[in-house]
PDB file of all heavy atoms in Angstrom:
ATOM      1  N   GLN A 266      52.640  50.660 -51.242  1.00  0.00           N
ATOM      2  CA  GLN A 266      51.375  49.923 -51.225  1.00  0.00           C
ATOM      3  C   GLN A 266      51.554  48.518 -50.628  1.00  0.00           C
ATOM      4  O   GLN A 266      50.715  48.058 -49.850  1.00  0.00           O
ATOM      5  CB  GLN A 266      50.800  49.801 -52.649  1.00  0.00           C
ATOM      6  CG  GLN A 266      50.376  51.116 -53.250  1.00  0.00           C
ATOM      7  CD  GLN A 266      51.500  51.839 -53.993  1.00  0.00           C
ATOM      8  OE1 GLN A 266      52.669  51.474 -53.928  1.00  0.00           O
ATOM      9  NE2 GLN A 266      51.139  52.899 -54.695  1.00  0.00           N
ATOM     10  N   ILE A 267      52.641  47.865 -51.004  1.00  0.00           N
ATOM     11  CA  ILE A 267      52.892  46.518 -50.480  1.00  0.00           C
ATOM     12  C   ILE A 267      53.134  46.576 -48.971  1.00  0.00           C
ATOM     13  O   ILE A 267      52.617  45.752 -48.211  1.00  0.00           O
ATOM     14  CB  ILE A 267      54.082  45.859 -51.204  1.00  0.00           C
ATOM     15  CG1 ILE A 267      53.745  45.659 -52.683  1.00  0.00           C
ATOM     16  CG2 ILE A 267      54.438  44.515 -50.560  1.00  0.00           C
ATOM     17  CD1 ILE A 267      54.938  45.281 -53.533  1.00  0.00           C
ATOM     18  N   LYS A 268      53.889  47.574 -48.528  1.00  0.00           N
ATOM     19  CA  LYS A 268      54.149  47.708 -47.093  1.00  0.00           C
ATOM     20  C   LYS A 268      52.846  47.990 -46.336  1.00  0.00           C
ATOM     21  O   LYS A 268      52.624  47.438 -45.253  1.00  0.00           O
ATOM     22  CB  LYS A 268      55.166  48.820 -46.828  1.00  0.00           C
ATOM     23  CG  LYS A 268      55.500  48.939 -45.354  1.00  0.00           C
ATOM     24  CD  LYS A 268      56.552  49.969 -45.064  1.00  0.00           C
ATOM     25  CE  LYS A 268      56.802  50.028 -43.568  1.00  0.00           C
ATOM     26  NZ  LYS A 268      57.694  51.104 -43.200  1.00  0.00           N
ATOM     27  N   LEU A 269      51.974  48.825 -46.902  1.00  0.00           N
ATOM     28  CA  LEU A 269      50.688  49.108 -46.269  1.00  0.00           C
ATOM     29  C   LEU A 269      49.851  47.832 -46.129  1.00  0.00           C
ATOM     30  O   LEU A 269      49.266  47.576 -45.070  1.00  0.00           O
ATOM     31  CB  LEU A 269      49.917  50.164 -47.067  1.00  0.00           C
ATOM     32  CG  LEU A 269      48.514  50.492 -46.550  1.00  0.00           C
ATOM     33  CD1 LEU A 269      48.576  51.102 -45.153  1.00  0.00           C
ATOM     34  CD2 LEU A 269      47.804  51.430 -47.510  1.00  0.00           C
ATOM     35  N   VAL A 270      49.814  47.023 -47.169  1.00  0.00           N
ATOM     36  CA  VAL A 270      49.078  45.753 -47.109  1.00  0.00           C
ATOM     37  C   VAL A 270      49.692  44.850 -46.039  1.00  0.00           C
ATOM     38  O   VAL A 270      48.979  44.245 -45.235  1.00  0.00           O
ATOM     39  CB  VAL A 270      49.064  45.053 -48.489  1.00  0.00           C
ATOM     40  CG1 VAL A 270      48.557  43.622 -48.373  1.00  0.00           C
ATOM     41  CG2 VAL A 270      48.221  45.843 -49.476  1.00  0.00           C
ATOM     42  N   HIS A 271      51.021  44.784 -46.015  1.00  0.00           N
ATOM     43  CA  HIS A 271      51.712  43.929 -45.045  1.00  0.00           C
ATOM     44  C   HIS A 271      51.428  44.378 -43.611  1.00  0.00           C
ATOM     45  O   HIS A 271      51.040  43.557 -42.763  1.00  0.00           O
ATOM     46  CB  HIS A 271      53.215  43.946 -45.330  1.00  0.00           C
ATOM     47  CG  HIS A 271      54.010  43.136 -44.366  1.00  0.00           C
ATOM     48  ND1 HIS A 271      53.925  41.761 -44.302  1.00  0.00           N
ATOM     49  CD2 HIS A 271      54.903  43.499 -43.418  1.00  0.00           C
ATOM     50  CE1 HIS A 271      54.732  41.320 -43.355  1.00  0.00           C
ATOM     51  NE2 HIS A 271      55.335  42.350 -42.796  1.00  0.00           N
ATOM     52  N   VAL A 272      51.600  45.653 -43.335  1.00  0.00           N
ATOM     53  CA  VAL A 272      51.389  46.165 -41.972  1.00  0.00           C
ATOM     54  C   VAL A 272      49.926  45.997 -41.566  1.00  0.00           C
ATOM     55  O   VAL A 272      49.633  45.622 -40.418  1.00  0.00           O
ATOM     56  CB  VAL A 272      51.853  47.639 -41.866  1.00  0.00           C
ATOM     57  CG1 VAL A 272      51.439  48.262 -40.548  1.00  0.00           C
ATOM     58  CG2 VAL A 272      53.367  47.729 -42.050  1.00  0.00           C
ATOM     59  N   SER A 273      49.013  46.247 -42.486  1.00  0.00           N
ATOM     60  CA  SER A 273      47.584  46.056 -42.186  1.00  0.00           C
ATOM     61  C   SER A 273      47.285  44.595 -41.873  1.00  0.00           C
ATOM     62  O   SER A 273      46.541  44.293 -40.934  1.00  0.00           O
ATOM     63  CB  SER A 273      46.729  46.516 -43.372  1.00  0.00           C
ATOM     64  OG  SER A 273      46.935  47.884 -43.630  1.00  0.00           O
ATOM     65  N   ALA A 274      47.882  43.689 -42.636  1.00  0.00           N
ATOM     66  CA  ALA A 274      47.664  42.264 -42.389  1.00  0.00           C
ATOM     67  C   ALA A 274      48.265  41.834 -41.055  1.00  0.00           C
ATOM     68  O   ALA A 274      47.695  40.984 -40.355  1.00  0.00           O
ATOM     69  CB  ALA A 274      48.242  41.434 -43.534  1.00  0.00           C
ATOM     70  N   VAL A 275      49.399  42.420 -40.678  1.00  0.00           N
ATOM     71  CA  VAL A 275      49.997  42.124 -39.367  1.00  0.00           C
ATOM     72  C   VAL A 275      49.025  42.517 -38.256  1.00  0.00           C
ATOM     73  O   VAL A 275      48.767  41.734 -37.326  1.00  0.00           O
ATOM     74  CB  VAL A 275      51.347  42.862 -39.189  1.00  0.00           C
ATOM     75  CG1 VAL A 275      51.810  42.819 -37.741  1.00  0.00           C
ATOM     76  CG2 VAL A 275      52.408  42.284 -40.105  1.00  0.00           C
ATOM     77  N   MET A 276      48.475  43.715 -38.347  1.00  0.00           N
ATOM     78  CA  MET A 276      47.556  44.189 -37.314  1.00  0.00           C
ATOM     79  C   MET A 276      46.268  43.353 -37.288  1.00  0.00           C
ATOM     80  O   MET A 276      45.773  43.003 -36.211  1.00  0.00           O
ATOM     81  CB  MET A 276      47.200  45.663 -37.551  1.00  0.00           C
ATOM     82  CG  MET A 276      48.375  46.614 -37.378  1.00  0.00           C
ATOM     83  SD  MET A 276      49.028  46.581 -35.697  1.00  0.00           S
ATOM     84  CE  MET A 276      50.609  45.837 -35.958  1.00  0.00           C
ATOM     85  N   LEU A 277      45.753  43.009 -38.464  1.00  0.00           N
ATOM     86  CA  LEU A 277      44.563  42.161 -38.515  1.00  0.00           C
ATOM     87  C   LEU A 277      44.838  40.773 -37.942  1.00  0.00           C
ATOM     88  O   LEU A 277      44.024  40.238 -37.184  1.00  0.00           O
ATOM     89  CB  LEU A 277      44.083  42.015 -39.960  1.00  0.00           C
ATOM     90  CG  LEU A 277      43.204  43.122 -40.504  1.00  0.00           C
ATOM     91  CD1 LEU A 277      42.979  42.929 -42.004  1.00  0.00           C
ATOM     92  CD2 LEU A 277      41.878  43.156 -39.778  1.00  0.00           C
ATOM     93  N   SER A 278      45.974  40.200 -38.294  1.00  0.00           N
ATOM     94  CA  SER A 278      46.317  38.865 -37.813  1.00  0.00           C
ATOM     95  C   SER A 278      46.417  38.848 -36.292  1.00  0.00           C
ATOM     96  O   SER A 278      45.819  37.984 -35.630  1.00  0.00           O
ATOM     97  CB  SER A 278      47.641  38.415 -38.435  1.00  0.00           C
ATOM     98  OG  SER A 278      48.010  37.145 -37.946  1.00  0.00           O
ATOM     99  N   GLY A 279      47.157  39.778 -35.729  1.00  0.00           N
ATOM    100  CA  GLY A 279      47.319  39.831 -34.276  1.00  0.00           C
ATOM    101  C   GLY A 279      46.015  40.121 -33.550  1.00  0.00           C
ATOM    102  O   GLY A 279      45.700  39.491 -32.535  1.00  0.00           O
ATOM    103  N   SER A 280      45.242  41.054 -34.077  1.00  0.00           N
ATOM    104  CA  SER A 280      43.964  41.411 -33.447  1.00  0.00           C
ATOM    105  C   SER A 280      42.966  40.266 -33.502  1.00  0.00           C
ATOM    106  O   SER A 280      42.290  39.962 -32.516  1.00  0.00           O
ATOM    107  CB  SER A 280      43.368  42.644 -34.134  1.00  0.00           C
ATOM    108  OG  SER A 280      44.224  43.740 -34.017  1.00  0.00           O
ATOM    109  N   PHE A 281      42.887  39.619 -34.665  1.00  0.00           N
ATOM    110  CA  PHE A 281      41.939  38.509 -34.808  1.00  0.00           C
ATOM    111  C   PHE A 281      42.357  37.323 -33.957  1.00  0.00           C
ATOM    112  O   PHE A 281      41.517  36.643 -33.359  1.00  0.00           O
ATOM    113  CB  PHE A 281      41.795  38.134 -36.292  1.00  0.00           C
ATOM    114  CG  PHE A 281      40.600  37.285 -36.588  1.00  0.00           C
ATOM    115  CD1 PHE A 281      39.333  37.672 -36.189  1.00  0.00           C
ATOM    116  CD2 PHE A 281      40.739  36.091 -37.279  1.00  0.00           C
ATOM    117  CE1 PHE A 281      38.220  36.885 -36.460  1.00  0.00           C
ATOM    118  CE2 PHE A 281      39.639  35.295 -37.559  1.00  0.00           C
ATOM    119  CZ  PHE A 281      38.375  35.698 -37.144  1.00  0.00           C
ATOM    120  N   PHE A 282      43.664  37.084 -33.860  1.00  0.00           N
ATOM    121  CA  PHE A 282      44.164  36.014 -32.990  1.00  0.00           C
ATOM    122  C   PHE A 282      43.768  36.309 -31.542  1.00  0.00           C
ATOM    123  O   PHE A 282      43.281  35.426 -30.826  1.00  0.00           O
ATOM    124  CB  PHE A 282      45.681  35.887 -33.109  1.00  0.00           C
ATOM    125  CG  PHE A 282      46.275  34.941 -32.112  1.00  0.00           C
ATOM    126  CD1 PHE A 282      46.183  33.575 -32.285  1.00  0.00           C
ATOM    127  CD2 PHE A 282      46.915  35.419 -30.977  1.00  0.00           C
ATOM    128  CE1 PHE A 282      46.713  32.698 -31.346  1.00  0.00           C
ATOM    129  CE2 PHE A 282      47.447  34.556 -30.042  1.00  0.00           C
ATOM    130  CZ  PHE A 282      47.350  33.189 -30.222  1.00  0.00           C
ATOM    131  N   ALA A 283      43.973  37.549 -31.096  1.00  0.00           N
ATOM    132  CA  ALA A 283      43.638  37.919 -29.715  1.00  0.00           C
ATOM    133  C   ALA A 283      42.137  37.769 -29.467  1.00  0.00           C
ATOM    134  O   ALA A 283      41.729  37.232 -28.426  1.00  0.00           O
ATOM    135  CB  ALA A 283      44.086  39.346 -29.433  1.00  0.00           C
ATOM    136  N   LEU A 284      41.320  38.224 -30.411  1.00  0.00           N
ATOM    137  CA  LEU A 284      39.870  38.113 -30.263  1.00  0.00           C
ATOM    138  C   LEU A 284      39.425  36.654 -30.188  1.00  0.00           C
ATOM    139  O   LEU A 284      38.643  36.280 -29.305  1.00  0.00           O
ATOM    140  CB  LEU A 284      39.175  38.808 -31.442  1.00  0.00           C
ATOM    141  CG  LEU A 284      37.659  38.723 -31.466  1.00  0.00           C
ATOM    142  CD1 LEU A 284      37.056  39.450 -30.269  1.00  0.00           C
ATOM    143  CD2 LEU A 284      37.121  39.310 -32.765  1.00  0.00           C
ATOM    144  N   ARG A 285      39.956  35.830 -31.084  1.00  0.00           N
ATOM    145  CA  ARG A 285      39.599  34.403 -31.062  1.00  0.00           C
ATOM    146  C   ARG A 285      40.087  33.736 -29.781  1.00  0.00           C
ATOM    147  O   ARG A 285      39.376  32.942 -29.164  1.00  0.00           O
ATOM    148  CB  ARG A 285      40.197  33.689 -32.268  1.00  0.00           C
ATOM    149  CG  ARG A 285      39.507  34.004 -33.576  1.00  0.00           C
ATOM    150  CD  ARG A 285      40.154  33.303 -34.745  1.00  0.00           C
ATOM    151  NE  ARG A 285      39.959  31.864 -34.632  1.00  0.00           N
ATOM    152  CZ  ARG A 285      40.838  30.964 -35.072  1.00  0.00           C
ATOM    153  NH1 ARG A 285      41.967  31.329 -35.649  1.00  0.00           N
ATOM    154  NH2 ARG A 285      40.592  29.681 -34.943  1.00  0.00           N
ATOM    155  N   GLY A 286      41.323  34.058 -29.363  1.00  0.00           N
ATOM    156  CA  GLY A 286      41.877  33.448 -28.160  1.00  0.00           C
ATOM    157  C   GLY A 286      41.116  33.819 -26.908  1.00  0.00           C
ATOM    158  O   GLY A 286      40.789  32.960 -26.076  1.00  0.00           O
ATOM    159  N   LEU A 287      40.801  35.104 -26.753  1.00  0.00           N
ATOM    160  CA  LEU A 287      40.043  35.543 -25.573  1.00  0.00           C
ATOM    161  C   LEU A 287      38.633  34.957 -25.578  1.00  0.00           C
ATOM    162  O   LEU A 287      38.107  34.584 -24.528  1.00  0.00           O
ATOM    163  CB  LEU A 287      40.003  37.074 -25.518  1.00  0.00           C
ATOM    164  CG  LEU A 287      41.339  37.746 -25.222  1.00  0.00           C
ATOM    165  CD1 LEU A 287      41.223  39.260 -25.359  1.00  0.00           C
ATOM    166  CD2 LEU A 287      41.841  37.365 -23.832  1.00  0.00           C
ATOM    167  N   SER A 288      38.032  34.868 -26.757  1.00  0.00           N
ATOM    168  CA  SER A 288      36.695  34.271 -26.862  1.00  0.00           C
ATOM    169  C   SER A 288      36.723  32.797 -26.472  1.00  0.00           C
ATOM    170  O   SER A 288      35.826  32.307 -25.789  1.00  0.00           O
ATOM    171  CB  SER A 288      36.155  34.425 -28.283  1.00  0.00           C
ATOM    172  OG  SER A 288      35.975  35.780 -28.594  1.00  0.00           O
ATOM    173  N   LEU A 289      37.770  32.115 -26.893  1.00  0.00           N
ATOM    174  CA  LEU A 289      37.902  30.696 -26.549  1.00  0.00           C
ATOM    175  C   LEU A 289      38.093  30.530 -25.042  1.00  0.00           C
ATOM    176  O   LEU A 289      37.496  29.640 -24.427  1.00  0.00           O
ATOM    177  CB  LEU A 289      39.079  30.097 -27.310  1.00  0.00           C
ATOM    178  CG  LEU A 289      39.076  28.596 -27.527  1.00  0.00           C
ATOM    179  CD1 LEU A 289      37.823  28.157 -28.267  1.00  0.00           C
ATOM    180  CD2 LEU A 289      40.308  28.191 -28.307  1.00  0.00           C
ATOM    181  N   LEU A 290      38.894  31.400 -24.437  1.00  0.00           N
ATOM    182  CA  LEU A 290      39.092  31.340 -22.985  1.00  0.00           C
ATOM    183  C   LEU A 290      37.790  31.625 -22.228  1.00  0.00           C
ATOM    184  O   LEU A 290      37.588  31.133 -21.118  1.00  0.00           O
ATOM    185  CB  LEU A 290      40.176  32.329 -22.547  1.00  0.00           C
ATOM    186  CG  LEU A 290      41.602  31.943 -22.892  1.00  0.00           C
ATOM    187  CD1 LEU A 290      42.568  33.064 -22.499  1.00  0.00           C
ATOM    188  CD2 LEU A 290      42.007  30.641 -22.230  1.00  0.00           C
ATOM    189  N   ALA A 291      36.919  32.429 -22.845  1.00  0.00           N
ATOM    190  CA  ALA A 291      35.625  32.742 -22.234  1.00  0.00           C
ATOM    191  C   ALA A 291      34.613  31.619 -22.422  1.00  0.00           C
ATOM    192  O   ALA A 291      33.475  31.716 -21.960  1.00  0.00           O
ATOM    193  CB  ALA A 291      35.077  34.041 -22.816  1.00  0.00           C
ATOM    194  N   GLY A 292      35.019  30.553 -23.111  1.00  0.00           N
ATOM    195  CA  GLY A 292      34.139  29.408 -23.285  1.00  0.00           C
ATOM    196  C   GLY A 292      33.280  29.444 -24.535  1.00  0.00           C
ATOM    197  O   GLY A 292      32.409  28.589 -24.708  1.00  0.00           O
ATOM    198  N   LEU A 293      33.492  30.403 -25.391  1.00  0.00           N
ATOM    199  CA  LEU A 293      32.715  30.490 -26.626  1.00  0.00           C
ATOM    200  C   LEU A 293      33.263  29.508 -27.655  1.00  0.00           C
ATOM    201  O   LEU A 293      34.459  29.216 -27.671  1.00  0.00           O
ATOM    202  CB  LEU A 293      32.757  31.924 -27.179  1.00  0.00           C
ATOM    203  CG  LEU A 293      32.253  33.009 -26.209  1.00  0.00           C
ATOM    204  CD1 LEU A 293      32.442  34.386 -26.808  1.00  0.00           C
ATOM    205  CD2 LEU A 293      30.798  32.761 -25.855  1.00  0.00           C
ATOM    206  N   GLN A 294      32.399  29.032 -28.519  1.00  0.00           N
ATOM    207  CA  GLN A 294      32.800  28.030 -29.519  1.00  0.00           C
ATOM    208  C   GLN A 294      33.024  28.603 -30.912  1.00  0.00           C
ATOM    209  O   GLN A 294      33.614  27.938 -31.758  1.00  0.00           O
ATOM    210  CB  GLN A 294      31.753  26.916 -29.584  1.00  0.00           C
ATOM    211  CG  GLN A 294      31.714  26.065 -28.337  1.00  0.00           C
ATOM    212  CD  GLN A 294      33.058  25.444 -28.017  1.00  0.00           C
ATOM    213  OE1 GLN A 294      33.696  24.833 -28.875  1.00  0.00           O
ATOM    214  NE2 GLN A 294      33.522  25.613 -26.789  1.00  0.00           N
ATOM    215  N   TRP A 295      32.597  29.847 -31.186  1.00  0.00           N
ATOM    216  CA  TRP A 295      32.723  30.383 -32.541  1.00  0.00           C
ATOM    217  C   TRP A 295      34.164  30.432 -33.053  1.00  0.00           C
ATOM    218  O   TRP A 295      34.365  30.288 -34.265  1.00  0.00           O
ATOM    219  CB  TRP A 295      32.056  31.757 -32.663  1.00  0.00           C
ATOM    220  CG  TRP A 295      32.787  32.889 -31.984  1.00  0.00           C
ATOM    221  CD1 TRP A 295      32.534  33.388 -30.746  1.00  0.00           C
ATOM    222  CD2 TRP A 295      33.875  33.643 -32.512  1.00  0.00           C
ATOM    223  NE1 TRP A 295      33.418  34.407 -30.460  1.00  0.00           N
ATOM    224  CE2 TRP A 295      34.245  34.589 -31.540  1.00  0.00           C
ATOM    225  CE3 TRP A 295      34.577  33.617 -33.705  1.00  0.00           C
ATOM    226  CZ2 TRP A 295      35.285  35.497 -31.718  1.00  0.00           C
ATOM    227  CZ3 TRP A 295      35.623  34.525 -33.888  1.00  0.00           C
ATOM    228  CH2 TRP A 295      35.952  35.449 -32.903  1.00  0.00           C
ATOM    229  N   PRO A 296      35.183  30.593 -32.206  1.00  0.00           N
ATOM    230  CA  PRO A 296      36.543  30.645 -32.752  1.00  0.00           C
ATOM    231  C   PRO A 296      36.981  29.354 -33.449  1.00  0.00           C
ATOM    232  O   PRO A 296      37.903  29.370 -34.262  1.00  0.00           O
ATOM    233  CB  PRO A 296      37.421  30.909 -31.533  1.00  0.00           C
ATOM    234  CG  PRO A 296      36.523  31.556 -30.550  1.00  0.00           C
ATOM    235  CD  PRO A 296      35.192  30.907 -30.776  1.00  0.00           C
ATOM    236  N   ARG A 297      36.319  28.246 -33.150  1.00  0.00           N
ATOM    237  CA  ARG A 297      36.681  26.966 -33.769  1.00  0.00           C
ATOM    238  C   ARG A 297      35.880  26.672 -35.035  1.00  0.00           C
ATOM    239  O   ARG A 297      36.167  25.709 -35.726  1.00  0.00           O
ATOM    240  CB  ARG A 297      36.473  25.835 -32.780  1.00  0.00           C
ATOM    241  CG  ARG A 297      37.506  25.797 -31.708  1.00  0.00           C
ATOM    242  CD  ARG A 297      37.571  24.393 -31.117  1.00  0.00           C
ATOM    243  NE  ARG A 297      38.482  24.384 -30.005  1.00  0.00           N
ATOM    244  CZ  ARG A 297      38.119  24.400 -28.730  1.00  0.00           C
ATOM    245  NH1 ARG A 297      36.859  24.410 -28.402  1.00  0.00           N
ATOM    246  NH2 ARG A 297      39.028  24.390 -27.782  1.00  0.00           N
TER     247      ARG A 297
END
């Protein structure tokens, strides 16, 4: 269970970082 939470959080962290970063590069302000 702990490993599942950890791996899920890794995927969420990386995905959300990519989404925020690409949105910021596109000139959107919501990531801030």
Side-chain angles (χ1 to χ4, degrees):
Q266 294 88 350
I267 296 168
K268 183 177 179 187
L269 177 63
V270 168
H271 178 67
V272 171
S273 299
V275 167
M276 294 298 112
L277 276 172
S278 178
S280 299
F281 196 53
F282 172 77
L284 177 64
R285 287 179 67 212
L287 291 173
S288 296
L289 203 58
L290 287 176
L293 303 175
Q294 292 303 310
W295 72 263
R297 286 202 185 102

